[in-house]
Structure formats: structure tokens, C-alpha cells
Amino acid sequence: MSLGSLIFLMSLLRAFGLGDPGPLEDVVIDRYYIPKICLREVQMGDFIRYHYNGTFKDGKKFDSSYDRGATVAGVVGVGRLITGMDRGLQGMCVNERRHLIVPPHLGYGSLGVAGLIPPDTTLYFDVIMLDIWNKDDKLQIDTLYKPEHCNRTVEDSDFVRYHYNGTLLDGTPFDSSYGKEGTYDTYVGTGWLIKGMDQGLLGMCAGEKRRITIPPFLAYGEKGYGTVIPPQASLVFDVLLVDLHNPKDGIALEHLEVPESCRRKTVTGDFIRYHYNGTLMDGTLFDSSYSRNHTYDTYIGKGYIIPGMDQGLQGVCVGEKRRIIIPPHLAYGENGAGDKIPGSAVLVFDIHVIDFHNPEDPVEIETLFRPEDCNVTSQDRDFIRYHYNCSLMDGTKLFSSHDYDSPQEVTLGANKVIEGLNRGLLNMCVGEKRVIIIPPHLGHGENGARGVPGSAVLRFEVELMSREDGVPEGYLFIWHEDPPENLYEEMDLNKDGEILPEEFITFIKTQIADGKGRLMPSSDPEKVIADMFQNQDRNQDGKITADELKLKTDEDQERVHEEL
């Protein structure tokens, strides 16, 4: 008769109350709970752990592992158990529950157990299987999730940070990192972990999830651990690797986007402006310049930032996007930083370089077009008109003269534009087009200006539209040739010994019309001439006397004499 037939027969007898069917030839097995998933079944020679209650036919208990507070551990099929139990346990799954009826000849026979089990007694056992393993078992690794991107995996001597849930094989939890303040942090392959975990972590990527099933001889073996891990217990760890590094690691760089043209790359001492997202290796964001809508601005190679970033920002181009992976000994070390960067955390920075410069940088000029018939170029004090587009180095538009009805007008050297632009506009031909790169110390400096970020490098595209000869600094009018020998007499048109405003204005306009001299360009001629008259009218009585009239060159000579 088969085992299934026996179970069915016993069930029918119980159901119809027919009583004892007579002596049993073999153990009767009732599998009253079978788990949906059964990864393995008990076989001869397996080590097992189980709980049981043992009773007589009348329900009286004669033994229980529950009462002793410890599971039973042993080997199946080697004669260490009564024959009925050896047979009844075979084929069981972890968490399976069975009711076993063991006839006397497969139990303790005609002798029984003195004071405990009478002779020729049928025994009834309710059993739950908790653990199965074999001395030939190996570590079992199931990959639950693996990231698509994995730049390196765990090796011996690496330092790892991981989260885990630890359970026994039957699912009973014994420990978890998730309920604690942080990850479990340790070295791999140096004896700090049980052997099975040392092996199970090898080859993992940051962000990978694994289920690691460890037989007892690679875990805590015959002794177990405290009150939570019984002797001879298989362990199951669901592990999430947060990050890894080696104390010998340097930074790792990934070039995400490199501009086709790169006029120069950063070096130590440069001042750089860049945006970044800072994450842990599992992708947790801990900081971002984008959220503040402001670049991070600093010198590189001078210790103003963490060493790994100092190294990672070397050799970048304007506009470059780069991923910098920094081990903790080049970041915030064992202590971490604040409540967002744990101790011993590997940091990942995705950076975008907006611009950089060096305090020694000059203005850079690139000529896009220069007319062939160019004999006269713009000089200091010249009055010029020019069109321009101004942007940051990442292409962000700031200002443009094309947004207005006319070109920009300026007298060069009159401190009306930033120094770098003034330099870039010198020696230009009318019709010439240039790109002018201006470092901040020749632009708007650390504080910036309205619409211009602090420490920003500026890019101007300019086209010179027109140019007029200027006058030296401090002059309102200059002669193209030597002035009249008797200037006062020439200026005194009615020869009455004094020069009134009308005479002065008429005389200057005549000189301009005859090409003998010119006014400072870009200003209202009437106002300039009026200012000239005011300068000569020393006592402000509304007229100029012979003693008051002096050329600018004479005034400068007198001033030098006084200083000497």
C-alpha cells in the first residue's frame, strides 16, 4: 500500500469513527501544510532542524522541543533517530508541517523508554521543518536586482556599506540594518564577517540586491550566536549594497560630455564656476547647486574643496560634463558630513563646468573678420559705435545691442565700459568682427552686476560700426595744427578787450568748420563749448580776459612746475 493510500485510509477511518484499523506496518504521514515554494526536500544524509510535539494516542504529551526552548538538530537516515522519525521526515520542505503516526516496531518497540514510553506504544508526532542543509552544500546567491551601469564590483580588502535583512531558513528574522541608524560598514575578505557573507558580497555592484543563503558551516556553525541564531542554522541575507571602495582607490572619472573645441583646460590656481548634483552611490541626492539656482564658485588645487573634487576638476573644459566618483578618504572620511553624508560614504558628483579663469588671465581676442583696406584703427579716447552680443561661457544670453534701435556708443578709455571690453575694442577697423573673452577681474568682478553673476567670464561678439577721432583725456577741444599766435586777439572778434560767450562760441565753431580743430566726440557740441567757456572764465564774471585765457598744455606745464 502506498503512502498516499495510507493517509487516505487513516483519514476515512477517523472520519467514520471506525476506530483503530489494527497494527500499522509503516509510519503514517499526514502532510497537513505544504508551502507553495519548496526549494529542496529532506534526503538521507541531510542535516535538519525541526520542532515537534510527541503525544500518545490519547493526546497525552510525552515530549516536546517547544518545552525545551530549542529546536532538534541532527542527520537524517544514519540511525540517530527512531526509524519511524527517520522515514517520516524524508521529503519534507522547509516550513512544511506533518502529522506522523509511528508504530511501535518503528519507534521504541517492546522495550519502550523506562518511565516515559510504555512498551509497544504507537507514537504521534506533529513536526515543523525549519532548516535543511548538507555538508556538501555551497553558498547560494540569487541576484534580485542588478543595475545596468556598474563601474566596478566588490573585491577582497574592499570596504563596503550595505543594508540587510537577516532571517533563518524558515523566514524567522534575527537581525536587520534597516532599523538601525545606518548601513552595516565593514571590510570584505579580512575575517571581519562570517565566511559566507565574505564570499557572498564578492562581485556585487553598488545598488545591487542579492539573496545570500549561507549553510551553518559558513555561518555560526554548531554554536550559533546568542539567542537569535540557533546552532546549525542556515542563514538568509537579503542584501542591498550601498557603496564600496578600497583604501587604495583614487578618484574615478567618467567623461559624460566633452565640447568639440576646448581653448584650454583647468589647472591648479584657476577659479571655476560649475553646477553639480551630489549623490551617494545608491543615487540618494545629498546636495545640488541647481536647487539653489547658483553655481558653486571656487579655486581648484588650493584646498578650498575636498581633495577628491580638487583632483576631479583638473583638466576640464568650459561646457564639459563630468562624473567624479570620490572615495571617502578623499571626501568626508569616516565621520561623514551633517545628516546627509554618512561616514565612509563614496560620493558621486555630476558636474557641468560653466566657466573658469585665472587671476593672471588677459583678455582673449579672436578676430572673425577684418576688412582688407584697413589703415586706421580704434585708439584710446576715440568715439566708437559698435554692435555686440554678450553671453556667459555656457551660451546664456545676457545683453545685446541688437535689442535696441541703434548701436552702442562709447568713448574708449573714458571708463564707460568694463576694462576688458575697452581693451578688446582697441585697434579695431570699422567693419571688423571679434570675439572678446573677458575674465571677471577685467569684467564685473566677484560681485557681478545686474544680470551678471559674480566671478563670471563674459563672451562678447562685437562689430565696429563707426569710429571718430577722440581727444586726449582732460581735453574738450584739440587743435589739428598749432593754434593762432595771438589767440586772444583772434578770439576777441569785436576787439573790445574782452571775450563774451557769443564770441567764444562763434570762434570755436569756425575752427571746427575750417578743420583746424575738433571737439570731444559723442557729446552735445553746445554743451562742450559752454563748458570750455566756463573753464576759461576763471572768476566766473561772464567774460574772458587776456589773463584768464590759457591753453590746456600751458595749464599742464604750470601744474608740473607747481608740483616740482
Side-chain angles (χ1 to χ4, degrees):
M1 182 178 290
S2 69
L3 177 60
S5 299
L6 278 173
I7 294 172
F8 180 68
L9 178 61
M10 291 296 294
S11 299
L12 285 177
L13 290 173
R14 286 197 295 271
F16 291 102
L18 298 180
D20 193 341
L24 297 174
E25 296 180 1
D26 204 349
V27 62
V28 178
I29 301 172
D30 181 6
R31 303 179 71 183
Y32 64 90
Y33 175 75
I34 302 174
K36 293 181 179 180
I37 298 176
C38 183
L39 299 178
R40 67 185 291 179
E41 298 177 346
V42 176
Q43 299 180 16
M44 296 280 285
D46 281 346
F47 289 79
I48 59 173
R49 284 193 316 106
Y50 60 95
H51 263 309
Y52 72 91
N53 281 318
T55 63
F56 299 124
K57 184 177 180 180
D58 61 2
K60 182 180 179 180
K61 183 166 57 177
F62 64 84
D63 192 16
S64 173
S65 62
Y66 296 99
D67 294 344
R68 294 192 297 273
T71 54
V72 178
V75 183
V76 177
V78 294
R80 295 180 183 177
L81 302 172
I82 58 174
T83 304
M85 186 65 83
D86 250 351
R87 295 181 183 179
L89 294 175
Q90 290 189 41
M92 285 191 79
C93 304
V94 171
N95 284 324
E96 182 177 344
R97 295 175 180 266
R98 287 185 177 183
H99 182 74
L100 307 179
I101 302 175
V102 179
H105 67 280
L106 298 178
Y108 294 97
S110 59
L111 297 178
V113 177
L116 183 63
I117 298 176
D120 297 316
T121 300
T122 298
L123 304 178
Y124 298 78
F125 292 93
D126 281 303
V127 180
I128 178 171
M129 185 60 59
L130 302 177
D131 201 342
I132 308 168
W133 59 279
N134 193 287
K135 63 181 180 179
D136 294 326
D137 282 350
K138 296 180 180 180
L139 189 75
Q140 181 178 332
I141 297 175
D142 297 305
T143 301
L144 307 179
Y145 170 76
K146 190 165 186 174
E148 293 182 6
H149 181 79
C150 181
N151 64 322
R152 89 174 189 81
T153 60
V154 176
E155 300 177 0
D156 277 336
S157 79
D158 281 347
F159 189 90
V160 296
R161 297 194 311 116
Y162 62 93
H163 274 300
Y164 69 89
N165 285 318
T167 66
L168 304 180
L169 201 60
D170 67 341
T172 302
F174 62 83
D175 195 14
S176 174
S177 65
Y178 291 98
K180 301 175 183 178
E181 292 183 357
T183 53
Y184 190 81
D185 307 342
T186 187
Y187 285 95
V188 175
T190 57
W192 290 20
L193 296 167
I194 57 175
K195 290 182 179 179
M197 187 60 85
D198 253 347
Q199 297 175 20
L201 293 171
L202 293 175
M204 285 192 78
C205 304
E208 183 175 342
K209 295 180 181 179
R210 280 185 179 181
R211 178 165 293 154
I212 304 172
T213 304
I214 305 175
F217 54 85
L218 294 176
Y220 294 99
E222 297 179 359
K223 295 182 179 180
Y225 187 82
T227 60
V228 293
I229 298 178
Q232 302 290 22
S234 300
L235 305 182
V236 180
F237 289 92
D238 283 345
V239 175
L240 167 62
L241 186 64
V242 175
D243 71 19
L244 68 147
H245 76 279
N246 194 285
K248 297 179 181 179
D249 282 349
I251 63 169
L253 300 178
E254 296 178 28
H255 301 279
L256 306 179
E257 185 177 316
V258 181
E260 292 183 5
S261 61
C262 181
R263 60 189 179 88
R264 84 171 182 90
K265 298 180 178 181
T266 54
V267 295
T268 293
D270 282 344
F271 188 90
I272 187 170
R273 297 193 315 120
Y274 62 97
H275 271 302
Y276 70 90
N277 284 320
T279 65
L280 305 179
M281 283 198 78
D282 64 354
T284 301
L285 183 71
F286 63 80
D287 194 16
S288 173
S289 64
Y290 295 99
S291 65
R292 296 186 292 274
N293 197 30
H294 194 286
T295 54
Y296 191 83
D297 308 340
T298 186
Y299 285 95
I300 59 173
K302 292 190 171 185
Y304 292 156
I305 47 181
I306 56 175
M309 188 61 84
D310 249 349
Q311 296 176 24
L313 291 172
Q314 298 277 346
V316 294
C317 303
V318 170
E320 182 172 345
K321 294 181 179 180
R322 178 181 284 193
R323 176 167 293 156
I324 306 171
I325 302 172
I326 305 175
H329 54 275
L330 295 175
Y332 294 100
E334 297 180 2
N335 297 324
D339 57 354
K340 292 188 176 181
I341 300 179
S344 300
V346 177
L347 306 183
V348 180
F349 288 91
D350 283 345
I351 65 149
H352 178 202
V353 180
I354 303 303
D355 65 30
F356 63 87
H357 73 281
N358 193 284
E360 304 298 325
D361 281 349
V363 173
E364 293 188 25
I365 298 173
E366 178 187 357
T367 301
L368 304 179
F369 171 75
R370 187 179 178 95
E372 294 182 2
D373 56 342
C374 176
N375 298 317
V376 180
T377 61
S378 55
Q379 301 299 315
D380 197 38
R381 307 304 301 176
D382 280 356
F383 175 71
I384 62 171
R385 292 181 176 87
Y386 62 99
H387 270 303
Y388 72 92
N389 290 313
C390 176
S391 63
L392 301 179
M393 294 299 290
D394 65 349
T396 301
K397 178 182 174 182
L398 297 181
F399 314 105
S400 175
S401 63
H402 297 282
D403 295 336
Y404 302 94
D405 295 334
S406 59
Q408 182 74 21
E409 299 179 349
V410 71
T411 298
L412 295 174
N415 298 320
K416 299 298 183 181
V417 295
I418 55 176
E419 176 61 23
L421 182 56
N422 195 93
R423 296 184 187 183
L425 291 169
L426 292 173
N427 301 310
M428 286 190 75
C429 303
V430 173
E432 184 174 341
K433 296 180 180 180
R434 286 181 176 180
V435 171
I436 305 170
I437 307 297
I438 303 173
H441 54 276
L442 297 174
H444 292 286
E446 295 181 6
N447 297 324
R450 185 177 180 181
V452 180
S455 299
V457 178
L458 301 180
R459 183 181 189 274
F460 281 85
E461 294 179 357
V462 299
E463 179 181 4
L464 186 61
M465 309 304 295
S466 66
R467 183 200 68 83
E468 295 180 33
D469 289 337
V471 298
E473 184 175 2
Y475 286 74
L476 298 176
F477 173 90
I478 64 169
W479 296 93
H480 290 163
E481 54 190 33
D482 292 336
E485 185 174 349
N486 298 312
L487 178 59
Y488 189 84
E489 293 179 7
E490 293 282 342
M491 197 174 290
D492 183 10
L493 301 180
N494 61 7
K495 310 303 179 183
D496 62 354
E498 57 185 19
I499 302 170
L500 297 178
E502 294 80 9
E503 293 177 292
F504 186 86
I505 293 171
T506 301
F507 177 80
I508 294 299
K509 285 184 175 180
T510 300
Q511 306 312 302
I512 295 171
D514 292 344
K516 296 180 179 180
R518 67 177 184 273
L519 291 173
M520 180 179 71
S522 79
S523 301
D524 179 5
E526 300 292 340
K527 184 178 184 308
V528 172
I529 296 173
D531 288 343
M532 291 172 61
F533 182 85
Q534 290 293 324
N535 291 341
Q536 295 297 324
D537 183 10
R538 313 290 175 173
N539 60 8
Q540 302 299 303
D541 62 356
K543 58 187 177 182
I544 301 173
T545 65
D547 292 337
E548 291 177 312
L549 184 65
K550 293 179 182 178
L551 295 175
K552 184 72 166 59
T553 52
D554 296 334
E555 290 179 344
D556 292 342
Q557 289 177 358
E558 288 181 4
R559 187 174 298 112
V560 171
H561 180 73
E562 290 172 359
E563 291 174 353
L564 291 175

